[in-house]
Amino acid sequence: MTAIETVRTRLRTDLRQAMRDRDSDRACTLRGALAALDNAEAVPTDARAGAIEQASVGAGSTEAVRRELGTDDIRAIFQAEISERRSAATDYESAAPDHAAALRAEAETLSAYLSDLV
């Protein structure tokens, strides 16, 4: 099992448990982490206009192989997500301390997955 499959499996398992526990904050955080991984695997598109008669046709003609993420890529994604939440928590500290605390909790949730990628 590759690193991305291992992390994705753990995220999905924990997401199902969070949903059973009705822990919407944790579930939202885990969904966001899964989405970040999916977005990182997406293949960049060349957005260009063209004549419809030049479009490829047939089943699977628009399919593209997704990028494969390595352990370093996954670690960088999680670190970026954690950093983003901590930075936002600092910004919200004086205006909305409850929201800042929630963002810090999300960062801690994601940090647990980062330790698996060592």
Side-chain angles (χ1 to χ4, degrees), residues 29 81-82 85-86 102-112:
T29 301
E81 292 290 316
I82 291 166
R85 282 167 174 79
R86 287 182 177 155
L103 288 168
R104 284 195 183 89
E106 288 180 18
E108 289 307 311
T109 297
L110 294 175
S111 294

Side-chain angles (χ1 to χ4, degrees), residues 66-93:
R66 296 180 69 81
R67 261 184 43 179
E68 282 193 38
L69 300 177
T71 304
D72 292 336
D73 298 322
I74 299 166
R75 187 178 302 114
I77 292 165
F78 273 91
Q79 287 173 337
E81 292 290 316
I82 291 166
S83 175
E84 181 180 312
R85 282 167 174 79
R86 287 182 177 155
S87 174
T90 302
D91 294 343
Y92 279 109
E93 191 61 47

Side-chain angles (χ1 to χ4, degrees), residues 26-79:
R26 183 172 171 79
C28 183
T29 301
L30 297 174
R31 279 190 192 106
L34 284 165
L37 292 173
D38 288 342
N39 288 341
E41 286 180 323
V43 176
T45 60
D46 295 331
R48 59 184 168 201
I52 193 144
E53 63 271 6
Q54 295 172 348
S56 32
V57 295
S61 64
T62 59
E63 299 284 324
V65 178
R66 296 180 69 81
R67 261 184 43 179
E68 282 193 38
L69 300 177
T71 304
D72 292 336
D73 298 322
I74 299 166
R75 187 178 302 114
I77 292 165
F78 273 91
Q79 287 173 337

Side-chain angles (χ1 to χ4, degrees), residues 4-5 9 11 19 22 39 69 74 85 90 99 104 107:
I4 187 71
E5 291 170 340
T9 299
L11 284 167
M19 291 169 61
R22 299 191 188 279
N39 288 341
L69 300 177
I74 299 166
R85 282 167 174 79
T90 302
H99 189 60
R104 284 195 183 89

